[in-house]
């Protein structure tokens, strides 16, 4: 039986592209739960939003979190709802201005 391809959401693809522009930090969760490890890392390093945290739970699993002004969110939620985050909107607008400037030449 052939498997059907999952349809890729344009909005989520756009959100993923926007998140690629944000600084990323990779950490190990250690004994803590992944979200706790992410919060401790943010506090210890004084990371300013926006930032993407990749928290390695074990050799097979990595959880992705987005650190925003509003708090810590799952990266998948942010990909799907990137328009709700002001810190991502500025990056997106700068990118659009750059694209428009390069095309108008």
């Amino acid at each position: 039986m052939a498997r059907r391809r999952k349809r890729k959401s344009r909005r989520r693809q756009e959100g993923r592209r926007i998140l690629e522009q944000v600084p990323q930090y990779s950490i190990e969760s250690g004994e803590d739960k992944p979200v706790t490890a992410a919060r401790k890392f943010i506090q210890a390093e004084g990371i300013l939003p926006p930032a993407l945290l990749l928290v390695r739970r074990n050799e097979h699993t990595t959880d992705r979190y987005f650190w925003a002004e509003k708090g810590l969110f799952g990266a998948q939620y942010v990909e799907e709802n990137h328009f709700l985050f002001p810190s991502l909107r500025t990056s997106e607008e700068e990118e659009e201005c750059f694209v428009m400037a390069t095309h108008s030449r």
Side-chain angles (χ1 to χ4, degrees):
M1 184 159 86
R3 285 184 59 156
R4 290 184 52 172
R5 282 186 177 220
K6 190 171 182 181
R7 188 177 154 269
K8 293 191 178 183
S9 163
R10 283 204 174 116
R11 185 167 66 176
R12 185 158 174 216
Q13 284 179 322
E14 184 180 348
R16 184 172 283 252
R17 186 178 48 80
I18 292 169
L19 278 183
E20 287 175 356
Q21 310 302 316
V22 174
Q24 293 186 10
Y25 300 90
S26 296
I27 62 173
E28 300 278 337
S29 64
E31 295 295 315
D32 294 322
K33 291 182 179 178
V35 70
T36 305
R39 290 185 186 283
K40 285 181 178 179
F41 182 77
I42 290 166
Q43 186 72 30
E45 299 294 321
I47 297 173
L48 298 174
L52 191 64
L53 284 96
L54 307 172
V55 184
R56 192 174 163 114
R57 201 184 320 172
N58 58 42
E59 62 181 284
H60 304 292
T61 311
T62 301
D63 294 331
R64 297 167 55 237
Y65 297 100
F66 178 72
W67 175 234
E69 292 85 1
K70 302 175 184 178
L72 194 62
F73 295 87
Q76 183 173 339
Y77 172 80
V78 177
E79 287 174 357
E80 294 169 359
N81 300 289
H82 57 86
F83 48 86
L84 298 175
F85 295 88
S87 59
L88 291 178
R89 197 169 300 136
T90 57
S91 301
E92 185 180 349
E93 288 170 0
E94 289 171 5
E95 188 175 304
E96 285 179 9
C97 290
F98 175 75
V99 169
M100 290 177 75
T102 56
H103 285 292
S104 65
R105 291 182 184 172

